[in-house]
Amino acid sequence: MDNLSEALEKLKLASTDSATDSVESCLDCLLKALANNNTEASVKIQEMGVLPLLPTLLNPQSSCTPKVANIIAEVAKNEFMRSPCVEAGLIPPLVQLLNSTDQEVLLQTGRALGNICYDSHEGRSAVDLAGGAQIVAEHIKSLYQNTEPENEKLLTVFCGMLMNYSNDNDSLQAQLISMGVIPTLVKLLGIHSHNTALTEMCLIAFGNLAELESSKEQFASTNIAEELVRLFQKQTEHEKKEMIFEVLAPLAENDVIKLQLVEAGLVECLLEVVAQTVDGEREEDIAQLKTASDLMVLLLLGDESMQKLFEGGKGSVFQRVLSWIPSHNHQLQLAGALAIANFARNDGNCIHMVDTGIVQKLLELLDRHVEEGNVTVQHAALSALRNLAIPVVNKSKMLSAGVADVVLKFLQSEMPPVQFKLLGTLRMLIDTQAEAADQLGTNGKLVERLVEWCEAKDHAGVMGESNRLLSALIRHSKSKEVVRTVIQGGGVKHLVTMATSEHMIMQNEALVALGLIAALDLVAAEKDFVGANLVSVLHKLLSDERSAPEIKYNSMILICAVMGSEPLHKEVQSLAFIDVVSKLRAHENKTVSHQASLTEQRLTAQS
């Protein structure tokens, strides 16, 4: 350390008279001290005020320049030294040195700027202001085809510098994207895939840039998919595969790139990873299995990529994914069920899958999880069943297969995501299926649970789906028994509230169900209708100009239906409905105006 102090004093003197030889030996001493104990030496350099002397030593013509840049690079490895480097005015002369043709100068300058930018807002801003990134990007463009070892070393430093410059900074990442660095880096990856250090820098840079939405279009116009898949196939180490996965995941969110990845053979790689890791117990095997199967599911979110892999239900990939469902591994069961849910995004696929017995596999999976109770698997399997139940021809087949019975086993679940999917699946199944709606609608336990969930204020999705299923049971069964069960279970008030929903489809479903209740058992429902202020709700819906024509129409049908009840009839009279209804006779919608005339006659006759 005494030698260092002496060297620093000498450097202070020498830097003023620029005696190259004495400067050179001082610099060597500094480098030695930094190599020995970087932190301690950096503190000393800072304390003795040497940093502000360095800009004058960063002279493009001087032979000392690479050493000075090297010292700055070493010093800037310490977080506490990065702001002082900026304050000492080192950035503008360093950026000037990027115009040098000397390989060593460029290498050390790239290191210095990269280290100053690492996690440093001041460093990045200063480099941005001096235009450093643009010059480095130009260098990479002009050098990327050169495979000499020295050049690859320089490219590695430059890629690292751009990575540190833009990491976690959206605006600087966007700046690099607009400079066109993505196509260059993709070509670079293809040419230098044999060079581990450079490849890793490239991957980390891609990982940074791929998070930005605006990058996806540029990536899609390159052959990034082929390059990444080719690179992935070469890897044997877990860490390297993970690095590639980290780039693939954000890129695969883009539908165009999804298809490119499928065409480049990524799926086969993923299936191989799954096969290799499914029985593994090491942490890295479990992590790889999860990443690979998650990525597989993500690729199936694109319509084109999904359809390509489905291949009319005969695709080998589709068959392999099917085999995941009976697996003993929860992660694979989950991915298999999610994949089926993704394949089940159009009627053709759904019909084919139900005809080839997939429902049975999903029911067996759910049965295994009534006791084991893995919530994510339950949720995924129910999602798949819900999607499969959408085509009309599948509903009766799925009901015959016992889907409703298995789904009802999860009625006791306390998990809102499972409750939500369970409700959606039942609602899809009973759509247009009177017998099933009748059976479920007279199930007191189910109706009781629905009424309970209709009050789940913390979970709007569950609340909405419960209301919709309650209404659907009545609408599709048109059964007096179902209506009685709903009345006894306390469901009427929830249907009245549903009629005031902000979603028109829900309002309408509620009004149709309430109309059926009034038509099938007005006497039993009368008390609940009064208690829930049904008549004033209908008055509001009819008076509100924003109400859709079908809402107005069904509200008038309901008014006529409740006129047979004395207390409700009185409420109708007290609210002067006739004024509202007579205005609707002039409504532009013919069905509404016709119903207004009929309703007006009914009100007049019974007043």
Side-chain angles (χ1 to χ4, degrees), residues 91 168 508 569:
I91 301 291
D168 280 340
N508 214 31
H569 186 175

Side-chain angles (χ1 to χ4, degrees), residues 94-95 98-99 106 109-111 113-114 127 131-143 154-163 165 176 179 181 184-185:
L94 281 170
V95 168
L98 288 172
N99 296 308
L106 288 174
T109 305
R111 284 185 62 232
L113 289 169
V127 172
Q134 181 71 55
I135 304 171
V136 171
E138 292 305 326
H139 274 304
I140 296 174
K141 275 183 192 168
S142 64
L143 297 172
L154 185 56
L155 281 171
T156 306
V157 166
F158 279 162
C159 285
M161 183 257 160
L162 289 186
M163 187 185 78
Y165 171 72
L176 292 185
M179 287 176 194
V181 300
T184 309
L185 290 177

Side-chain angles (χ1 to χ4, degrees), residues 559 563 572 577-578 581 599-607:
I559 284 297
M563 292 291 279
V572 170
F577 263 84
I578 216 140
V581 172
T599 308
E600 190 181 30
Q601 286 167 23
R602 183 80 193 268
L603 290 170
T604 317
Q606 290 195 293
S607 59

Side-chain angles (χ1 to χ4, degrees), residues 248-278:
L248 287 168
L251 285 179
E253 285 168 13
N254 176 283
D255 281 1
V256 178
I257 300 175
K258 277 188 184 80
L259 189 59
Q260 291 172 353
L261 289 168
V262 167
E263 287 171 344
L266 177 61
V267 173
E268 288 69 18
C269 296
L270 297 176
L271 289 172
E272 204 172 308
V273 172
V274 168
Q276 286 164 358
T277 55
V278 66

Side-chain angles (χ1 to χ4, degrees), residues 553-566:
Y553 173 80
N554 282 320
S555 296
M556 288 189 281
I557 294 278
L558 192 44
I559 284 297
C560 296
V562 300
M563 292 291 279
S565 146
E566 199 179 326

